[in-house]
Amino acid sequence: WKMTTERYSYVRRSGWRRYLQRVEEASRLPSAETFDYDYGLTLPEELSERRQPMYVDSETKTFLDSCQKRFESFLPTASDVVSLSLLRPFLSTTSVNGLVGRGRMYILSSVQFRKLLTSKQPLPASATLLDIGAGDGGVTQRLQDMFQQVEVTETNTIMRWRLWWNGFRTIHDESSWLNGDHRYTVISCLNVLDRCKNPLQLLQQMYSKLESNGLLLLALVLPYSPFIDDPNVKRGVRPEGALPLQGTSFDEQASSLISDVLEPMGFYVEAVTRAPYLCEGDMHRPWYILHDVVVVARKVGSESKS
């Protein structure tokens, strides 16, 4: 870093100097074209046949390329610095992202989501989707073409406005989706269980709102590290409850999620994969990456899962 700083010592303005340093440092990171990911997942023998192999496809590279271009552009980066400096003392990072339209998320492409959801049978033409904790709706948009009707939930007020801005019209708050007798063909819950107060209760609520034989599409960052975003606490707060996951490695916890959490609740897991949980970057990196287990589980009740 010292050598990079000295290389641009002739640039008088520190802002431009940091920008040039950033671009040079980014050039040493994997590009969208060379990005690779290990989708490998080792499961017990009784679950291994349900693993769906994935690969880095063109839609994934397109997302990464857009992150790279934004990172290399001075004005978006400068706006990130200003917005975070001015707004972060008063708003959570989630609210700031929703307000300025940054921090897009990506898990799987539209084709990959379809592959998981239809691994056993096609979705009905009248299929409905409820996406829990939809954020800005970017990931939901990769799902919506498979459904006749799409509804979303979001607890963050600013993100609900962003969802409306992105074309979603049935937007529920934290509890309104539980009202009434309506049931959904598919409920997606993507990277929410580790960011909510009571994940087991949420799973039970989603189960109750699925149609008979409906599908739960679940993504969870592993190894499991739950916290709740709070503008008053720098590192967030711990939830009231936690998932009873066994093991410490990604593979061990993925297996435990299926056998210790989902199956006892009355779900049968039809498909599972590992996937990169990508987030649009900031002034430091073009993107950030965590690791998701993505599961499709069918509501079958207490009968045999075989």
Side-chain angles (χ1 to χ4, degrees):
W1 186 87
K2 183 178 180 181
M3 290 180 63
T4 305
T5 304
E6 292 173 350
R7 185 174 301 171
Y8 298 110
S9 59
Y10 61 88
V11 180
R12 296 181 62 184
R13 293 189 177 275
S14 61
W16 281 107
R17 191 161 57 246
R18 286 194 297 271
Y19 171 69
L20 292 171
Q21 292 163 10
R22 250 186 349 95
V23 171
E24 180 175 336
E25 290 162 5
S27 69
R28 296 193 288 269
L29 298 172
S31 67
E33 199 58 40
T34 61
F35 177 84
D36 196 14
Y37 186 77
D38 180 9
Y39 290 85
L41 178 61
T42 302
L43 296 170
E45 184 177 353
E46 66 271 16
L47 298 175
S48 59
E49 64 180 13
R50 306 179 214 176
R51 186 177 69 84
Q52 294 291 317
M54 297 291 177
Y55 61 93
V56 179
D57 63 7
S58 59
E59 196 173 327
T60 306
K61 291 187 176 182
T62 297
F63 174 82
L64 292 170
D65 186 58
S66 68
C67 292
Q68 187 79 40
K69 289 178 178 176
R70 188 182 191 280
F71 177 78
E72 293 172 355
S73 300
F74 180 76
L75 287 179
T77 302
S79 71
D80 287 350
V81 175
V82 173
S83 61
L84 285 171
S85 298
L86 294 178
L87 299 175
R88 188 60 184 89
F90 311 102
L91 298 172
S92 69
T93 302
T94 300
S95 296
V96 175
N97 288 345
L99 195 62
V100 302
R102 61 176 293 276
R104 295 174 301 141
M105 303 294 186
Y106 183 95
I107 305 170
L108 293 169
S109 68
S110 304
V111 172
Q112 291 169 331
F113 273 128
R114 185 181 293 273
K115 177 182 178 181
L116 282 178
L117 286 168
T118 60
S119 65
K120 297 299 182 184
Q121 62 188 66
L123 294 171
S126 59
T128 57
L129 170 70
L130 174 69
D131 188 21
I132 301 288
D136 64 3
V139 177
T140 321
Q141 289 171 334
R142 301 184 192 279
L143 292 165
Q144 63 183 3
D145 287 347
M146 289 182 272
F147 299 93
Q148 184 180 77
Q149 179 182 346
V150 176
E151 300 180 14
V152 294
T153 83
E154 178 55 50
T155 61
N156 184 281
T157 303
I158 293 176
M159 279 297 185
R160 288 204 295 271
W161 166 80
R162 179 60 66 179
L163 283 164
W164 182 88
W165 179 269
N166 286 336
F168 296 95
R169 292 296 177 261
T170 306
I171 305 171
H172 299 279
D173 60 22
E174 189 171 5
S175 59
S176 63
W177 62 282
L178 294 167
N179 299 333
D181 297 326
H182 183 69
R183 300 291 183 269
Y184 301 90
T185 313
V186 176
I187 295 180
S188 55
C189 181
L190 305 174
N191 298 302
V192 174
L193 286 185
D194 56 347
R195 299 293 179 264
C196 66
K197 294 178 181 178
N198 194 325
L200 290 173
Q201 181 185 60
L202 177 57
L203 280 169
Q204 292 164 349
Q205 291 170 334
M206 291 188 291
Y207 184 93
S208 70
K209 294 296 287 185
L210 279 170
E211 297 173 354
S212 177
N213 294 315
L215 294 175
L216 173 68
L217 173 62
L218 181 67
L220 177 66
V221 170
L222 298 178
Y224 183 52
S225 180
F227 80 93
I228 301 171
D229 192 18
D230 188 325
N232 301 313
V233 182
K234 185 175 182 180
R235 296 184 180 275
V237 297
R238 302 290 291 182
E240 296 173 2
L243 298 173
L245 299 184
Q246 304 299 313
T248 56
S249 71
F250 186 99
D251 294 353
E252 289 170 340
Q253 292 192 358
S255 299
S256 180
L257 176 67
I258 296 170
S259 59
D260 298 326
V261 178
L262 295 176
E263 289 187 340
M265 281 191 170
F267 286 106
Y268 174 77
V269 172
E270 294 189 343
V272 58
T273 192
R274 177 179 175 137
Y277 180 27
L278 295 160
C279 176
E280 183 179 57
D282 51 21
M283 69 195 82
H284 303 295
R285 299 179 69 90
W287 60 76
Y288 291 91
I289 183 169
L290 294 171
H291 308 286
D292 267 345
V293 60
V294 186
V295 173
V296 172
R298 189 172 296 278
K299 175 180 178 178
V300 295
S302 59
E303 64 266 24
S304 171
K305 317 293 189 300
S306 59

